[in-house]
Amino acid sequence: MANIKSAKKRIRVIDKKTARNIRVKNHIKEAEKAFLAAVEAGDKEEAAKAFQHVEKKLMQAAAKGTFHKNTVARKISRFASKLNALSAK
């Protein structure tokens, strides 16, 4: 355990940021699962709505530093290609 006041504060700040990151990642996982379920079901309208939602959540996470921007870009690209493949059918 830290003895210095500033070190104690850093521990508190890190705990808050860790909790926030976990919350954000859980929301993203739920959104990704909803999108993939819509794609598997073949529902184009629901998949398009879910894609917009997951894209928004990923971009917000990248803006706050939870995910790296290139990681987010890669995920969005892969989801977009799945959506386009569904629309092409």
Side-chain angles (χ1 to χ4, degrees):
M1 185 66 193
N3 290 326
I4 298 171
K5 188 176 180 181
S6 61
K8 289 179 182 178
K9 180 180 178 183
R10 290 309 308 161
I11 290 170
R12 287 195 312 269
V13 170
I14 288 169
D15 287 343
K16 287 180 187 176
K17 286 186 177 186
T18 301
R20 183 187 188 284
N21 286 342
I22 290 170
R23 225 174 19 254
V24 168
K25 287 179 181 182
N26 285 337
H27 288 301
I28 289 173
K29 285 178 191 174
E30 290 172 3
E32 288 176 353
K33 286 179 186 177
F35 172 73
L36 293 175
V39 169
E40 288 294 320
D43 188 357
K44 294 177 186 178
E45 295 84 21
E46 187 64 32
K49 283 176 52 180
F51 175 75
Q52 286 180 340
H53 181 69
V54 74
E55 183 181 22
K56 179 180 177 181
K57 290 289 183 186
L58 284 168
M59 294 301 279
Q60 287 174 338
K64 290 293 184 179
T66 303
F67 287 111
H68 193 274
K69 63 178 184 168
N70 290 347
T71 303
V72 169
R74 183 180 67 243
K75 285 181 179 239
I76 290 173
S77 175
R78 288 178 181 170
F79 289 148
S81 63
K82 286 183 189 232
L83 183 64
N84 291 339
L86 181 66
S87 298
K89 289 183 181 178

